[in-house]
Amino acid sequence: MSGLRKAKKYDWKDSNMALFGSDTDKKVKKESAETEPAWKGAGQKPGLQIWRIVKFKVTDWPTEDYGQFYSGDSYIILNTYKEEGNEELLYDVHFWIGKYSTQDEYGTAAYKTVELDTMLDDKPVQHRETQGFECDMFKGYFDAISVMKGGADTGFRRVLPEEYKTRLLKFCGLKKSIAVTEVPTAKSSLNSDDVFIIDMGLQVYQYNGSNANKDERFRATQYLQKLKSDRGGKVKVEVLDERDTSEEDPAFNNLKKDRDDDDDEDDDEVDTAGVPTLYRISDASGNIEFSEVAQGKISKSMLDSKDVFIFDNVTHLFVWTGSGASIDERRNAMSYAHKHLMKSNHPTIPVTCVCEGGRSDKDFEAVFK
């Protein structure tokens, strides 16, 4: 009997995510969407709603866990709001892919995102987010985004305190852009520039690196307060400063000396080398063709209502659908966008779908200013 194999990191890059937006997705009818129990009440009033994908099913994510995600899961996030002076409900819907989420999970998340969009009469602006590379709009929904290892079923409330496995969390960033990520439980994961929380269940340490900034320290303190509340106030907390902490401090007893060879690194980066490029998807010739329109300085005047365009500005990719685009062009847009990104040096960047004549996407408008 073979042992368990670690999930492949960003396995979705090798998968058939190109189906997102294709005939397979578009066959989802509004009648079908209305039979999905999770969508009952979705988008009926302003606010944030989050669901996690569990074995092909859409399940509610507890409101107290909003902003906390697991690298082995995929989620759907719906933001419903009104613009000032207008009573119409507007939407942004995101599907978020953890770097160790399975193909079943993120495939279902993409499919169900289309279904939710259909139920809301195609009003939402759709976005794809990947762990660690979320767009500013997505990050703005939360005070901070915390990414934990494993799946949600590994959470503290689902195990006995004495069985709790030590976690090491790193707090890194400035002001509201504080990233909270779980890192390998090894002393070599610690550094002087960030703040760390050593979470042993009922004993928790906050370790302040000597060069850590006040925003990181404050965010870690906030995190500890919520953690204590979630665990019924039974947690014992101790704050340590690097300059005053001995190498033999009990806080380090549950940490390995060095990372294992298969420990997940948290240093993924987007390669921003390259220039903004605009591509056209057109079937004017009788066959769908994907062609480059321009590089460098891109203007909105280059867009044509008869076709679909893909604008890759290296840090964010936009799929712009003209009001007169054909059905085949629309259905194949995300497929071509996905294939393009998989061949690029920045496959994990956010993806946003924008329709001409619909609600303008702020990020899309901003890139032309």
Side-chain angles (χ1 to χ4, degrees):
M1 183 174 180
S2 59
L4 294 175
R5 182 174 62 86
K6 185 176 182 180
K8 185 176 179 182
K9 184 177 180 181
Y10 287 131
D11 188 51
W12 59 269
K13 290 194 294 188
D14 305 318
S15 75
N16 198 9
M17 277 292 290
L19 286 175
F20 180 48
S22 70
D23 286 334
T24 302
D25 287 319
K26 291 300 181 182
K27 73 179 182 180
V28 179
K29 304 298 183 181
K30 188 170 183 178
E31 296 78 20
S32 175
E34 289 176 342
T35 65
E36 168 58 65
W39 302 151
K40 185 178 181 180
Q44 300 304 302
K45 60 182 180 180
L48 203 64
Q49 294 170 278
I50 302 179
W51 300 269
R52 180 174 70 112
I53 304 303
V54 182
K55 298 179 180 178
F56 300 99
K57 294 185 178 180
V58 183
T59 62
D60 287 329
W61 190 237
T63 55
E64 62 267 25
D65 289 337
Y66 280 16
Q68 179 170 292
F69 301 94
Y70 285 81
S71 62
D73 291 330
S74 288
Y75 301 78
I76 295 173
I77 297 89
L78 175 66
N79 183 43
T80 304
Y81 68 99
K82 295 179 181 179
E83 291 183 337
E84 188 175 354
N86 190 342
E87 288 302 306
E88 180 186 8
L89 290 174
L90 302 175
Y91 312 95
D92 282 281
V93 60
H94 309 248
F95 68 97
W96 185 93
I97 306 171
K99 64 174 64 175
Y100 290 110
S101 178
T102 67
Q103 291 187 25
D104 290 343
E105 289 169 340
Y106 56 69
T108 302
Y111 183 83
K112 286 294 185 177
T113 296
V114 174
E115 186 179 87
L116 178 58
D117 177 87
T118 302
M119 194 197 75
L120 296 173
D121 298 321
D122 298 320
K123 289 183 179 180
V125 173
Q126 296 179 34
H127 309 261
R128 184 207 75 175
E129 313 287 348
T130 60
Q131 178 185 331
F133 305 101
E134 299 85 357
C135 70
D136 289 339
M137 175 189 291
F138 184 86
K139 289 186 286 189
Y141 298 148
F142 313 100
D143 291 332
I145 294 176
S146 304
V147 180
M148 314 292 285
K149 287 185 179 181
D153 291 335
T154 61
F156 176 84
R157 286 170 295 182
R158 298 170 180 84
V159 299
L160 297 174
E162 59 270 20
E163 297 174 353
Y164 187 76
K165 184 178 179 181
T166 299
R167 293 181 186 270
L168 181 61
L169 307 178
K170 182 173 78 170
F171 294 72
C172 179
L174 290 170
K175 297 182 179 179
K176 282 197 171 184
S177 298
I178 302 293
V180 185
T181 53
E182 184 176 356
V183 296
T185 52
K187 291 182 69 174
S188 57
S189 294
L190 303 174
N191 63 60
S192 300
D193 297 323
D194 302 310
V195 173
F196 296 82
I197 284 181
I198 305 170
D199 182 0
M200 298 162 58
L202 296 180
Q203 173 68 63
V204 181
Y205 297 91
Q206 177 178 328
Y207 177 83
N208 299 325
S210 56
N211 299 326
N213 63 56
K214 60 180 178 60
D215 299 317
E216 293 164 340
R217 294 169 186 249
F218 179 71
R219 178 67 187 106
T221 300
Q222 283 185 316
Y223 186 95
L224 283 178
Q225 291 173 345
K226 182 177 184 303
L227 186 149
K228 288 181 68 175
S229 175
D230 290 345
R231 299 180 189 174
K234 298 178 181 180
V235 178
K236 182 180 178 182
V237 174
E238 185 175 348
V239 179
L240 306 173
D241 287 308
E242 181 181 9
R243 294 187 182 91
D244 304 321
T245 304
S246 164
E247 290 283 332
E248 307 303 320
D249 193 282
F252 306 135
N253 288 348
N254 282 26
L255 301 183
K256 298 173 293 187
K257 181 178 179 182
D258 296 305
R259 300 183 180 199
D260 296 331
D261 292 338
D262 61 346
D263 270 334
D264 178 27
E265 297 287 345
D266 64 333
D267 56 358
D268 296 303
E269 294 181 359
V270 167
D271 187 344
T272 56
V275 295
T277 306
L278 183 68
Y279 301 89
R280 180 197 303 264
I281 299 174
S282 176
D283 60 4
S285 66
N287 296 309
I288 293 183
E289 297 180 350
F290 181 72
S291 59
E292 182 180 310
V293 176
Q295 286 190 357
K297 188 173 178 59
I298 308 297
S299 68
K300 290 192 70 175
S301 62
M302 297 177 181
L303 304 176
D304 187 332
S305 297
K306 298 190 299 293
D307 295 317
V308 172
F309 290 80
I310 291 175
F311 178 38
D312 178 1
N313 75 354
V314 186
T315 60
H316 200 138
L317 184 141
F318 297 90
V319 178
W320 185 89
T321 301
S323 57
S326 71
I327 293 176
D328 284 342
E329 290 168 349
R330 294 168 185 259
R331 288 175 175 172
N332 286 277
M334 185 58 79
S335 172
Y336 277 100
H338 175 76
K339 291 175 182 177
H340 163 72
L341 282 180
M342 294 310 99
K343 295 177 182 178
S344 75
N345 57 2
H346 46 269
T348 55
I349 63 173
V351 176
T352 297
C353 301
V354 182
C355 294
E356 182 185 20
R359 176 168 58 90
S360 295
D361 180 83
K362 295 178 183 178
D363 289 335
F364 183 69
E365 294 293 331
V367 299
F368 294 106
K369 294 181 180 178

